[in-house]
């Protein structure tokens, strides 16, 4: 019997992933490869490359132990063809196989590269999600706006998570109003579970240090889980010690605490070490046992069966040009300090320094600090997109691009966000302790010490008034701007211009 090649990519590390499920352990051959094309299509954070390579090596061993014939290519293998199609062709020649079974990659770039390969290809949908594309497209059909909240309710009905018959548990679908508490004095959680690198991880760290040591971000210390058992321990640790307060402080930011009550499970979910339903069931269980309150558990489950599913579907619905959209025609270059953290704006400096050290920042840091600033300053959204894709350990285009291009930069013209996520310094001050130790004064609206977010906020609204002043959700803000004294408006606009001039 002629063997088929079974492709398993670095973010498809799940025993039941479609290509494996459709293959025959006795006759088919698994192909896994660390390749420079994937490691360099953007210059990823070294922690991200190390995480993926280490998890790939352990998953390959797991498959071998389970009886699969796995052809694994390490990055430093002298025969390495350098790309996924190249490696498949090489293995086809080696084994005589002419057919490839793949699970659909999470990025158009790689889907197209596989389709261009001169081998027979069966590409199966990636079914490690709660929703299907067909289901989403049917839901989207004929709707004027694709609001996540309504899609999420359907996912609650579909999964039965937090449902009381056909009604939402507690009577409400969404408890976000309870989830916006400012930064507390103290955090009673020591952070995510950390793992000491074993021999496999150490070997990968040495390789990554030698090959990618000069990229943005610090490789060591490295403490992420790299197999399913460890990822499950990290999940249990979060559910036990952090979930009960996750909701309350979900949006808070602190100078001296990088993780607050966040889960840090996105890398594990995104490469397939954790399953979204397994995670949600564990959280629901904690609610049923009286261990965690409804606002925390509903908020957490919504991120996974709501936002995570929704952005996946938007990415595949919108097509390959999505990361190139630029609805607001923003053209400014990304400021250098996004790579150094060297800026007097403490919120940005803290979020960027943390990103370099941890390859992680939580949602509000990404949305309301680095994202907010880029949008206010009119940075080219494609540059912003590439920055996010490079710097976070959980960044894969299907999840990163809708969050950046859509939610954060409004570059998709409002498919995801019903209004731009912009704020002045007041929001950052309310939700964090950053402003207390900043060289700028958050209460100064103009003058040499004025918080730049204050200046840029009004300048953004003024610049885009034609587009947004008719938006019902922004009526009040535009009314405030119109009421402002003309001289004051002029001062704000000219100081904002001077700041932007300096930025370039
Ligand atoms: P928690 O806050 O503990 O949330 C639990 C889980 O919910 C996460 O692990 C994640 O899987 C899911 N989740 C939460 N929000 C989202 C969301 N908006 N979209 C998809 N899943 C979500 N997430 C990524 O996985 N990869 C990215 O590249 C990425 N880029 C982002 C860029 C921007 C500008 C913004 C605003 C958000 C981005 N997110 C991204 C979403 C979110 O910030 C991360 O999922 C989250 O910070 C991961 O940390 P956590 O596991 O501690 O999350
Ligand atoms: C992100 C990544 C990296 C850095 N390296 C590899 C690799 O060497 N081999 C591999 O199979 N996958 C890698 N990945 C993950 C892929 O880039 C990912 O599968 C696509 O971007 C689609 O989501
Ligand atoms: Fe950021 Fe402005 Fe606060 Fe400084 S004052 S930390 S720049 S929001």
């Amino acid at each position: 019997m002629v063997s088929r090649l079974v492709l398993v990519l670095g973010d498809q590390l799940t025993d039941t992933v479609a290509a494996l499920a459709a293959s025959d352990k006795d006759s088919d051959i698994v192909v896994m490869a660390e390749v420079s094309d994937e490691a360099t299509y953007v210059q990823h954070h070294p922690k991200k490359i190390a995480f993926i390579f280490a998890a790939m090596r352990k998953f390959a061993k797991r498959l071998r132990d389970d009886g699969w014939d796995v052809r694994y290519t390490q990055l430093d293998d002298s025969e390495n063809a350098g790309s996924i199609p190249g490696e498949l062709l090489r293995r086809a020649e080696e084994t005589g196989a002419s057919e490839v079974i793949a699970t659909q990659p999470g990025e158009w770039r790689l889907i197209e590269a596989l389709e261009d390969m001169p081998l027979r290809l069966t590409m199966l949908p990636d079914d490690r999600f709660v929703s299907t594309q067909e289901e989403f497209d049917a839901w989207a059909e004929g709707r004027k706006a694709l609001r996540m909240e309504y899609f999420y309710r359907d996912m609650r009905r579909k999964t039965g998570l937090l449902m009381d018959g056909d009604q939402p548990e507690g009577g409400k679908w969404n408890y976000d109003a309870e989830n916006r508490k400012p930064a507390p004095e103290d955090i009673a959680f020591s952070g995510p579970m950390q793992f000491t690198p074993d021999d496999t991880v150490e070997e990968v760290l040495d390789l990554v240090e030698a090959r990618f040591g000069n990229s943005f971000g610090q490789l060591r210390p490295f403490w992420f889980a790299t197999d399913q058992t460890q990822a499950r321990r990290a999940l249990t640790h979060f559910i036990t010690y952090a979930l009960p307060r996750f909701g309350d402080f979900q949006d808070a930011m602190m100078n001296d605490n990088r993780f607050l009550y966040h889960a840090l499970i996105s890398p594990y979910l995104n490469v397939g070490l954790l399953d979204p339903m397994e995670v949600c069931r564990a959280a629901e269980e904690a609610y049923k046992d009286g261990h965690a309150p409804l606002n925390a558990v509903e908020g957490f489950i919504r991120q996974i069966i709501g936002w995570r599913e929704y952005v996946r579907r938007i990415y595949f619905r919108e097509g390959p040009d999505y990361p190139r959209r630029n609805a607001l025609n923003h053209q400014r270059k990304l400021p250098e300090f996004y790579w150094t953290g060297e800026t007097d704006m403490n919120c940005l400096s803290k979020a960027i320094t943390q990103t370099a050290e941890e390859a992680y920042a939580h949602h509000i840091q990404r949305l309301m600090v680095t994202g907010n600033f880029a949008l206010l300053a009119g940075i080219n959204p494609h540059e912003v997109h590439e920055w996010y894709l490079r710097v976070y350990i959980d960044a894969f285009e299907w999840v990163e691009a809708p969050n950046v291009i859509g939610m954060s930069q409004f570059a998709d013209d409002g498919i995801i966000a019903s209004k731009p996520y912009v704020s002045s310094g007041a929001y950052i001050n309310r939700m964090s302790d950053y402003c207390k130790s900043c060289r700028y004064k958050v209460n100064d609206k103009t003058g040499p010490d004025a918080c730049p977010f204050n200046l840029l906020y009004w300048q953004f609204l003024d610049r885009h008034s034609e587009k947004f002043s008719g938006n019902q959700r922004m009526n009040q803000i535009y009314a405030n701007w119109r009421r402002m004294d003309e001289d004051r408006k002029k001062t704000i606009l000219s100081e904002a211009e001077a700041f932007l001039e300096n930025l370039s």
Side-chain angles (χ1 to χ4, degrees):
M1 191 168 162
V2 182
S3 305
R4 299 172 302 178
L5 301 180
V6 187
L7 176 65
V8 176
L9 293 166
D11 54 355
Q12 299 179 341
L13 310 180
T14 312
D15 296 335
T16 51
V17 73
L20 284 172
S23 301
D24 185 345
K25 200 187 290 182
D26 297 326
S27 56
D28 294 330
I29 296 168
V30 174
V31 175
M32 295 180 71
E34 300 166 8
V35 291
S36 65
D37 266 16
E38 293 310 306
T40 60
Y41 72 92
V42 290
Q43 220 180 337
H44 308 277
H45 195 297
K47 275 192 167 78
K48 178 177 170 188
I49 303 181
F51 167 62
I52 289 173
F53 285 5
M56 283 175 70
R57 289 183 186 194
K58 291 187 181 185
F59 188 71
K61 177 172 184 313
R62 185 183 162 98
L63 291 180
R64 279 196 187 115
D65 290 348
D66 193 32
W68 288 92
D69 177 354
V70 182
R71 310 289 166 108
Y72 191 98
T73 311
Q74 297 199 349
L75 189 76
D76 49 6
D77 191 320
S78 60
E79 306 279 299
N80 195 320
S83 70
I84 296 294
E87 274 298 293
L88 285 166
L89 285 170
R90 187 167 77 85
R91 295 299 188 186
E93 215 163 275
E94 177 183 291
T95 60
S98 59
E99 186 181 347
V100 175
I101 305 184
T103 310
Q104 187 188 48
E107 191 173 346
W108 289 110
R109 173 188 61 84
L110 200 49
I111 294 175
E112 287 162 4
L114 290 183
E115 282 170 348
D116 286 347
M117 233 175 17
L119 289 171
R120 193 137 47 88
L121 172 71
T122 306
M123 188 143 48
L124 303 166
D126 189 342
D127 57 9
R128 297 172 301 165
F129 291 85
V130 175
S131 61
T132 66
Q133 196 64 37
E134 293 71 27
E135 188 174 61
F136 185 83
D137 290 343
W139 172 83
E141 205 50 49
R143 281 176 192 256
K144 263 211 245 127
L146 305 182
R147 295 291 157 246
M148 192 287 297
E149 183 63 29
Y150 297 106
F151 170 72
Y152 161 61
R153 292 179 191 180
D154 278 0
M155 292 301 103
R156 288 272 295 278
R157 292 187 188 97
K158 178 176 181 178
T159 58
L161 284 163
L162 295 180
M163 292 299 290
D164 183 3
D166 59 359
Q167 292 304 307
E169 183 72 30
K172 284 197 297 183
W173 290 103
N174 183 318
Y175 290 85
D176 238 7
E178 294 168 38
N179 289 353
R180 297 193 184 112
K181 295 193 179 52
E185 287 292 306
D186 228 350
I187 293 286
F189 174 51
S190 57
M193 181 169 267
Q194 307 199 351
F195 300 88
T196 306
D198 56 21
D199 289 348
T200 307
V201 178
E202 280 297 351
E203 203 176 297
V204 166
L205 290 176
D206 288 343
L207 171 77
V208 172
E209 188 154 51
R211 291 287 291 270
F212 309 104
N214 292 329
S215 301
F216 168 86
Q218 292 170 21
L219 175 62
R220 291 188 165 89
F222 182 95
W223 50 259
F224 286 96
T226 45
D227 61 38
Q228 191 187 48
T229 308
Q230 290 182 342
R232 285 184 170 162
R233 285 178 61 203
L235 171 66
T236 304
H237 176 82
F238 162 74
I239 302 267
T240 311
Y241 300 109
L243 179 64
R245 310 199 78 187
F246 168 85
D248 289 354
F249 301 109
Q250 201 179 338
D251 291 358
M253 299 174 282
M254 294 176 82
N255 270 313
D256 296 325
N257 194 310
R258 294 173 167 183
F259 307 121
L260 288 96
Y261 295 99
H262 289 276
L264 276 98
I265 56 163
S266 48
Y268 313 145
L269 278 166
N270 294 351
V271 304
L273 298 180
L274 290 177
D275 169 71
M277 279 308 288
E278 147 187 43
V279 170
C280 292
R281 291 266 179 247
E284 185 186 45
E285 206 57 40
Y287 166 69
K288 286 187 175 158
D289 291 349
H291 175 66
L294 188 53
N295 69 307
V297 175
E298 186 281 317
F300 180 71
I301 285 178
R302 174 161 24 89
Q303 306 310 314
I304 296 172
I305 64 166
W307 280 112
R308 187 169 183 274
E309 294 288 327
Y310 170 83
V311 299
R312 170 98 185 165
R313 299 302 156 209
I314 293 281
Y315 178 75
F316 282 109
R317 184 175 169 78
E318 289 301 313
D321 78 308
Y322 188 79
R324 290 269 167 204
R325 298 203 190 159
N326 189 357
L328 300 179
N329 192 25
H330 282 172
Q331 301 297 349
R332 197 177 300 280
K333 286 192 75 58
L334 190 75
E336 184 56 26
F337 67 71
Y338 272 76
W339 301 114
T340 62
E342 284 168 18
T343 163
D344 285 343
M345 292 177 276
N346 186 45
C347 52
L348 279 159
S349 173
K350 284 282 151 52
I352 293 164
T353 307
Q354 161 182 341
T355 298
E357 287 175 13
E358 311 286 356
Y360 175 83
H362 71 67
H363 187 73
I364 294 300
Q365 292 172 304
R366 298 187 206 195
L367 187 65
M368 298 312 291
V369 179
T370 41
N372 185 14
F373 185 85
L375 179 56
L376 291 176
I379 311 298
N380 182 302
H382 194 73
E383 287 201 26
V384 182
H385 153 71
E386 288 206 322
W387 184 79
Y388 279 94
L389 196 55
R390 278 175 67 168
V391 303
Y392 291 113
I393 191 165
D394 56 16
F396 298 88
E397 198 175 88
W398 67 265
V399 52
E400 174 275 337
N403 271 297
V404 174
I405 294 290
M407 190 187 310
S408 167
Q409 300 300 299
F410 207 85
D412 67 357
D413 213 10
I415 293 172
I416 291 187
S418 55
K419 70 178 181 67
Y421 277 99
V422 284
S423 80
S424 67
Y427 174 84
I428 294 173
N429 190 35
R430 189 163 67 249
M431 299 313 297
S432 78
D433 60 3
Y434 289 148
C435 302
K436 288 187 189 123
S437 43
C438 184
R439 163 243 178 282
Y440 293 106
K441 296 202 172 81
V442 71
N443 291 325
D444 284 12
K445 308 288 190 260
T446 56
D449 295 331
C451 164
F453 283 83
N454 293 345
L455 297 169
L456 296 182
Y457 178 66
W458 291 119
Q459 200 255 10
F460 171 91
L461 292 171
D462 184 65
R463 196 165 85 228
H464 292 299
S465 64
E466 206 173 301
K467 186 157 195 78
F468 296 126
S469 59
N471 182 323
Q472 257 197 337
R473 297 189 61 201
M474 299 176 81
N475 275 349
Q476 193 52 48
I477 304 166
Y478 273 101
N480 293 346
W481 177 237
R482 277 192 296 272
R483 267 200 302 272
M484 214 181 275
D485 176 82
E486 282 306 318
D487 283 347
R488 191 170 170 74
K489 277 191 194 169
K490 268 197 203 133
T491 310
I492 290 174
L493 293 179
S494 72
E495 289 188 10
E497 285 302 340
F499 178 87
L500 289 173
E501 199 59 27
N502 245 334
L503 202 61
S504 314

